[in-house]
Amino acid sequence: NIRGVQLNLLGGTITEGLEGAQVSGLVNINTGYMKGVQVAGIFNSASGDAEITGGQVAGIMNTSAVYLKGVQDAGFVNVAKEGFLGAQLSGVLNIATGESKGAQVSGIINIADEISGVQVGLINVAKKNSGLSLGLLNFIVDGIMSPAIYVNSNGALYVQYQGGTPRFFTTFLAGTDMGGTPEFVELGFGAGTRFTGAPIITCSEV
């Protein structure tokens, strides 16, 4: 039971609780309650029976088995199994299940169950997002998920995907000429918003 600071050359384990800081060169493991911060060169794990208040900072991965109020900051991966109130910051991947409020910011992909806030990454995935998803490809189940395939009047084939939330969505398309010039490739990217309550007008061409 640590009230203060635990310093470890390689790794440390706390089984009762932490009020303060756990700092290790490689690995930190806490299976009790936590009000403080874990700092490790490789990996932090917190899995007590009460929500965590504080933060986890690791060179590779942070994982929380209970609800987190604070920040996870990792070089590669963050996992909040019961959700979070705060932020997940990583170089590669953030995962949050349960209900989350705050921000997910990653270099590649963010995955959330339900999030109220913002997701920033190349790819954002969520069952529900009541805020913003800022990325190249956004897959929001209760939001906008609109794939399309079409051919223009010059015979070029296009594949398009539009995804995100009504507040902010992105459109990505790629097309190629089917008339014998396979070296022709056209790419497009756009962003937009939908005004709540405004009529949706669509048009199609056969």
Side-chain angles (χ1 to χ4, degrees):
N1 196 347
I2 301 297
R3 290 182 173 88
V5 179
Q6 183 191 59
L7 298 175
N8 309 286
L9 181 62
L10 298 179
T13 300
I14 298 174
T15 58
E16 295 295 329
L18 169 65
E19 295 181 14
Q22 186 181 30
V23 182
S24 296
L26 298 179
V27 178
N28 288 316
I29 297 175
N30 181 13
T31 59
Y33 72 91
M34 176 176 159
K35 295 181 179 180
V37 62
Q38 290 179 311
V39 180
I42 295 179
F43 176 72
N44 289 313
S45 173
S47 58
D49 56 1
E51 66 181 24
I52 294 170
T53 301
Q56 294 178 307
V57 180
I60 295 181
M61 181 177 182
N62 294 309
T63 179
S64 168
V66 294
Y67 192 79
L68 169 70
K69 289 184 177 180
V71 176
Q72 287 183 319
D73 187 358
F76 287 88
V77 181
N78 290 311
V79 178
K81 294 182 179 180
E82 296 295 329
F84 68 89
L85 173 62
Q88 288 183 313
L89 311 172
S90 75
V92 178
L93 171 66
N94 291 314
I95 299 174
T97 56
E99 295 185 7
S100 300
K101 295 181 180 180
Q104 285 185 316
V105 181
S106 75
I108 298 180
I109 184 169
N110 296 303
I111 299 174
D113 189 3
E114 297 184 11
I115 184 168
S116 299
V118 61
Q119 293 177 301
V120 181
L122 291 178
I123 301 172
N124 298 306
V125 180
K127 290 182 179 179
K128 182 178 181 179
N129 187 340
S130 57
L132 299 176
S133 292
L134 307 178
L136 181 64
L137 294 174
N138 302 301
F139 302 96
I140 312 301
V141 175
D142 78 331
I144 297 171
M145 296 179 65
S146 301
I149 299 176
Y150 61 92
V151 178
N152 71 6
S153 58
N154 294 323
L157 174 67
Y158 287 88
V159 177
Q160 175 181 295
Y161 178 78
Q162 189 174 88
T165 68
R167 292 183 180 181
F168 182 87
F169 60 86
T170 58
T171 301
F172 180 80
L173 64 87
T176 185
D177 188 358
M178 297 189 299
T181 56
E183 69 275 4
F184 168 75
V185 176
E186 185 176 2
L187 301 176
F189 180 81
T193 186
R194 293 183 181 179
F195 297 100
T196 304
I200 299 176
I201 300 175
T202 61
C203 57
S204 61
E205 179 179 312
V206 180

